[in-house]
Amino acid sequence: MPMNKSRIVLVILALVLGIFLVFFWKGDNISQPDVDSRYKDASLSIEERVSHLLSQMTLDEKIGQMALVEKNSIHNKEDVSRYGLGGIVSGAGGKPANNTPEGWLHMVTEYGEISRGTRLGIPALYGVDAIHGHGNVPGATIFPHAIGLGATRDRALVEKIAQATAEEVRATGIFWVFSPNLDTPQDIRWGRTYEAFSGDPKTNADLGAAYIRGLQGTATGTVEILATAKHYLGAGGMQWGSSSNKDFKIDQGRTPPDEKILRTIYLPPFRAAIDAGALSVMVGLNSWGDEKISANKYLITDVLKNELGFSGFVVSDWYGVYEIPGGEYTAAVTAIHAGIDMVMLPFDYKTFIKNVKKAVRKGDIPEERIDDAVRRILRAKFAVGLFEKTSVGDLEVIGGEEHRELAREAVRKSLVLLKNQNNALPIDKNISPIIVAGTAADNVGRQSGAWTVEWQGIDGNWLPGGTSILEGLRRAVANRGNILYDEQANFNLANKAPIGIAIVGEKPYAEGWGDSDNLKLSDEDLEIIEKVKNASTKIIIIIVSGRPLDIKNESKNWDGVIAAWLPGSEGQGVADVLFGDYIFSGTLPFRWDL
Ligand code: BGC
């Protein structure tokens, strides 16, 4: 059938419209207003940039910024831009397929690029637990865990260590770390005792602030990397047996609701952290009284934000928000209402985004609260220069000589001499033979502890570039050949050796998996010690552990006892002091009864 005139006109119009669409319409501008990109101008003040950007954001874009998702839970990488996710977390052990510094840089850069591909191009923050160096990355410098740094009481050293950590982290394109840990453990049975500097609020405030200065840096005026003061608040004060997690005893437990104690023991390190400019604070998984901290508006909004004047953002801990009773909707509403700005979900984000949107529509969460949360997140993103930079530095810096030297210095300053009789210490390098044994002697994995490549660490002598304590001793005596080593202390000597060293302690553990009311040495370690003792005239015990151990019954039979904490990759620092090249200067971060 031939077309009539009006049909021909319609077809022509459709064609013209089609051509117009193909050439002139950029799909995402259809329903979105033009973007005013002044917020990308780094010469404006942070507050101006935040305001410009925030004023252009849709509700969906704002809610996306509040989601922090575990990278293994993002099955389709494009979801990062589709949902405009605010942050991505590699939980401990959340590694790339190619688990090398290059592999990390590649993975983080890819997520960064995807996140920039949105209408407004807001980069996602990538966060990791660099709690004793860039511990996720094989080949990074592993510094002593915080308990060892606490023993040094050396603010300047702690600041330098944080700086070095920031350099290694930034080289992999990451600008956010979940440290320092500012908990003040009052019960060493807690599996996180070693993550804290000490059991004393003042030390934790001092060293925590130094650590934040080191990470965030101030020299150039811009923030180098975002620190996270954690875990707000009362972590370390939980009661034994009160954990909300059936597998744990004290971790994620209940801190008694005594406000005076809260303010005198647990709050001071956070006050110092805020004064030092910390831009994020992580809320703990514990409860205060019967309420999970992440639901506690008084502590998060009234005390932290209003009273202490914290202007950065508050992030919740691993799945913590969903431990608030009442189901996912109520939990999200309660946490955001309490003052959580970014929610570490970490597995699901679609339901969270849907629920928060519904809550805003229903009036269960006022839009001003969303704006406040996003403003805080954007403020930190601008402060760290996330819109301007991708990776900073050179991968060569990771595990570099200078950082390893610094770690070695930290190890020697962290050693605490618990006992020295019969002039057992220092040891003469020329004495022969020196017998060495023990499960922690030649075991870089054990001396590094947990949060090293894997969440629970890896027991065994591995870790590229690390030096075991035994190897350090061998190097210290150079070619003298006077060190005899057998892990199990099966020595067949005609005469007793003048010195025997047993290096023993705890296997790696993280979080509640380390909760324990048995802090004695293992039977295996005690047996080794016995054998060393029978084979030597004087015996020195080096304890590698995340907390003071119960050695009351045995220590009277030993000549020397050294607390080495979890020294990390540079075991050589132990030999430095053992042979008297340096003096013992560490002081106890927790009480240790002999
Ligand atoms: C820990 C936090 C850590 C987070 C991310 C949680 O299990 O409690 O300290 O930052 O995981 O890995």
Side-chain angles (χ1 to χ4, degrees):
M1 193 176 78
M3 285 201 210
N4 62 26
K5 244 188 183 167
S6 57
R7 274 214 176 142
I8 290 170
V9 171
L10 269 177
V11 169
I12 290 170
L13 271 177
L15 276 172
V16 170
L17 191 65
I19 290 165
F20 173 80
L21 280 178
V22 170
F23 289 101
F24 300 104
W25 236 6
K26 299 212 179 83
D28 54 359
N29 281 347
I30 297 171
S31 54
Q32 308 289 2
D34 281 345
V35 175
D36 172 352
S37 53
R38 261 179 300 170
Y39 62 87
K40 291 191 174 156
D41 179 353
S43 69
L44 297 183
S45 74
I46 290 176
E47 293 308 315
E48 277 174 302
R49 297 178 78 185
V50 170
S51 298
H52 275 174
L53 179 51
L54 191 63
S55 67
Q56 301 185 64
M57 291 173 77
T58 64
L59 181 59
D60 288 295
E61 286 165 338
K62 290 176 187 170
I63 297 171
Q65 284 302 306
M66 297 171 71
L68 174 59
V69 185
E70 205 273 328
K71 78 116 180 138
N72 289 332
S73 304
I74 304 173
H75 298 303
N76 178 358
K77 288 183 187 155
E78 297 308 321
D79 276 4
V80 172
S81 54
R82 185 169 304 128
Y83 294 94
L85 303 179
I88 302 170
V89 44
S90 261
K95 49 186 167 294
N98 168 18
N99 195 12
T100 59
E102 292 77 16
W104 275 87
L105 176 61
H106 178 79
M107 173 182 77
V108 175
T109 307
E110 190 183 0
Y111 281 114
E113 278 167 6
I114 296 173
S115 70
R116 287 179 165 84
T118 53
R119 185 178 75 95
L120 296 163
I122 308 175
L125 262 178
Y126 204 108
V128 289
D129 288 289
I131 66 171
H132 59 154
H134 199 358
N136 281 305
V137 179
T141 313
I142 306 298
F143 294 94
H145 266 295
I147 193 169
L149 302 187
T152 72
R153 300 288 199 283
D154 187 333
R155 236 183 268 145
L157 176 72
V158 167
E159 188 168 336
K160 277 196 236 157
I161 286 173
Q163 238 163 34
T165 301
E167 280 173 28
E168 298 204 11
V169 170
R170 283 183 318 169
T172 56
I174 297 174
F175 296 96
W176 187 26
V177 296
F178 307 130
S179 77
N181 181 313
L182 301 182
D183 301 338
T184 304
Q186 300 299 294
D187 184 338
I188 59 167
R189 294 174 297 179
W190 187 25
R192 305 193 79 157
T193 301
Y194 64 86
E195 286 186 52
F197 295 111
S198 78
D200 164 49
K202 190 167 176 323
T203 303
N204 296 349
D206 267 8
L207 299 185
Y211 202 96
I212 290 163
R213 284 194 299 272
L215 279 180
Q216 295 201 164
T218 45
T220 57
T222 52
V223 170
E224 304 288 358
I225 203 169
L226 297 175
T228 306
K230 71 183 188 184
H231 304 86
Y232 186 84
L233 187 68
M238 299 82 67
Q239 292 157 312
W240 182 257
S242 72
S243 179
S244 57
N245 182 323
K246 66 174 176 28
D247 292 318
F248 301 162
K249 286 291 181 207
I250 187 166
D251 190 44
Q252 302 178 17
R254 179 182 186 274
T255 305
D258 181 323
E259 185 156 351
K260 191 159 174 242
I261 290 182
L262 200 72
R263 284 180 176 273
T264 47
I265 296 185
Y266 304 102
L267 197 60
F270 288 91
R271 190 188 294 277
I274 290 158
D275 291 347
L279 280 163
S280 80
V281 167
M282 186 186 290
V283 161
L285 296 169
N286 56 315
S287 309
W288 192 45
D290 296 324
E291 187 171 46
K292 281 285 171 192
I293 304 276
S294 46
N296 195 311
K297 185 164 189 281
Y298 171 66
L299 292 181
I300 302 174
T301 300
D302 300 351
V303 178
L304 179 65
K305 291 182 175 174
N306 296 340
E307 186 184 319
L308 301 189
F310 175 57
S311 62
F313 69 99
V314 177
V315 60
S316 57
D317 197 356
W318 200 259
Y319 209 70
V321 159
Y322 289 137
E323 279 160 17
I324 299 171
E328 287 180 344
Y329 179 86
T330 307
V333 171
T334 309
I336 293 170
H337 185 67
I340 304 271
D341 303 309
M342 191 185 260
V343 179
M344 199 191 295
L345 289 156
F347 313 114
D348 165 74
Y349 38 99
K350 298 179 191 170
T351 311
F352 168 79
I353 288 172
K354 204 175 73 208
N355 280 337
V356 177
K357 199 167 171 186
K358 180 169 147 198
V360 175
R361 293 256 150 88
K362 280 176 68 183
D364 287 346
I365 303 177
E367 195 154 355
E368 301 81 71
R369 177 71 267 279
I370 302 285
D371 282 352
D372 171 55
V374 178
R375 179 174 284 282
R376 289 167 177 274
I377 294 165
L378 293 178
R379 181 179 289 141
K381 287 187 174 183
F382 280 121
V384 78
L386 204 63
F387 287 72
E388 288 79 44
K389 61 195 181 195
T390 46
S391 81
V392 173
D394 192 334
L395 287 175
E396 294 291 300
V397 80
I398 295 176
E401 221 19 69
E402 211 180 302
H403 291 176
R404 289 190 185 278
E405 266 309 309
L406 183 63
R408 179 171 166 180
E409 178 189 347
V411 173
R412 51 179 182 253
K413 288 185 170 168
S414 71
L415 300 180
V416 179
L417 184 60
L418 294 172
K419 179 176 181 185
N420 186 17
Q421 66 179 33
N422 303 325
N423 293 323
L425 287 158
I427 302 172
D428 179 350
K429 282 181 191 165
N430 294 306
I431 211 163
S432 186
I434 298 169
I435 60 170
V436 180
T439 50
D442 198 19
N443 194 330
V444 180
R446 197 174 284 200
Q447 76 195 33
S448 297
W451 304 93
T452 314
V453 181
E454 294 296 338
W455 181 39
Q456 297 294 325
I458 304 176
D459 191 15
N461 202 4
W462 67 284
L463 205 68
T467 306
S468 72
I469 297 176
L470 171 70
E471 183 54 29
L473 296 174
R474 281 189 171 137
R475 285 187 201 162
V477 298
N479 301 319
R480 291 178 178 86
N482 52 345
I483 289 191
L484 297 183
Y485 169 69
D486 184 77
E487 188 202 78
Q488 296 298 316
N490 293 320
F491 299 105
N492 270 323
L493 304 175
N495 299 307
K496 283 193 172 199
I499 281 283
I501 304 173
I503 307 171
V504 294
E506 290 187 306
K507 288 185 182 165
Y509 53 78
E511 302 191 36
W513 298 109
D515 290 351
S516 175
D517 59 356
N518 175 10
L519 299 180
K520 290 183 176 305
L521 286 168
S522 69
D523 289 346
E524 185 187 10
D525 280 347
L526 291 174
E527 213 171 291
I528 291 170
I529 291 173
E530 209 38 47
K531 287 195 213 163
V532 173
K533 189 160 170 53
N534 291 335
S536 57
T537 323
K538 289 180 196 170
I539 182 166
I540 292 160
I541 311 296
I542 300 176
I543 300 181
V544 171
S545 67
R547 51 193 152 189
L549 298 185
D550 179 359
I551 51 170
K552 279 197 270 328
N553 289 339
E554 298 86 17
S555 62
K556 54 183 174 306
N557 300 318
W558 306 336
D559 301 289
V561 186
I562 297 161
W565 315 111
L566 297 168
S569 58
E570 303 317 303
Q572 180 93 52
V574 176
D576 289 342
V577 185
L578 216 65
F579 289 113
D581 295 335
Y582 291 84
I583 54 157
F584 284 95
S585 58
T587 49
L588 279 175
F590 292 91
R591 203 176 110 182
W592 192 325
D593 299 321
L594 289 194

